[in-house]
Amino acid sequence: MTKVKVLLAGGLAAALAAGVLYEQAPGFKRTPVQDQDLSVPGRHAVQAKAEFEPGGAVGRHTHPGEELSIVLEGQLQLEVDGQPARTIKAGESFFIPAGVVHAGKNTGSGKAVVFATYIVEKGKDVATPVK
């Protein structure tokens, strides 16, 4: 019975830790694809598909690890602290280092779709909002 309680508590903690990643803003939908432990101690890989309606955005946030993403459809204006804003189009990829504040917005006339992979610390929220 104790093992079941530990497993349930661990599952609940993981779900709550991922909660920030999966919060939905108007015009933005993020769908989890997979979450896998890695051979690197204390790290896991999280993959998600993000869909932005025209004008849809995800606000300023950070990750406790790296983000590697590719725009599959449409375009995304990427704002990374310390860099000029840039437009990433379908077929182009981008990289966000750990802890760097960034935001994204669909500036195109159609839907934008991004496939993201996060290599992040276990036990921490995948994304943390920044004001």
Side-chain angles (χ1 to χ4, degrees):
M1 188 69 150
T2 302
K3 286 183 183 181
V4 171
K5 288 180 183 177
V6 170
L7 288 173
L8 288 173
L12 178 60
L16 291 173
V20 172
L21 174 65
Y22 304 120
E23 287 181 5
Q24 305 297 314
F28 174 74
K29 177 184 175 189
R30 190 177 329 231
T31 305
V33 175
Q34 65 175 324
D35 184 336
Q36 301 292 329
D37 288 341
L38 298 175
S39 60
V40 178
R43 297 277 173 171
H44 65 131
V46 178
Q47 291 187 314
K49 180 174 123 178
E51 298 174 89
F52 297 78
E53 295 301 323
V58 60
R60 292 168 45 84
H61 63 283
T62 62
H63 305 288
E66 293 75 18
E67 174 184 350
L68 300 98
S69 292
I70 184 166
V71 177
L72 300 175
E73 182 181 333
Q75 67 181 37
L76 186 74
Q77 181 177 342
L78 181 64
E79 297 177 355
V80 179
D81 277 11
Q83 300 177 17
R86 64 187 194 268
T87 300
I88 313 295
K89 296 180 180 179
E92 297 177 342
S93 62
F94 60 92
F95 175 79
I96 307 293
V100 173
V101 177
H102 60 289
K105 180 177 182 177
N106 179 356
T107 55
S109 58
K111 181 168 69 170
V113 179
V114 176
F115 188 80
T117 300
Y118 307 94
I119 307 298
V120 293
E121 293 180 51
K122 292 176 75 171
K124 292 190 175 182
D125 290 340
V126 175
T128 301
V130 174
K131 293 184 180 186

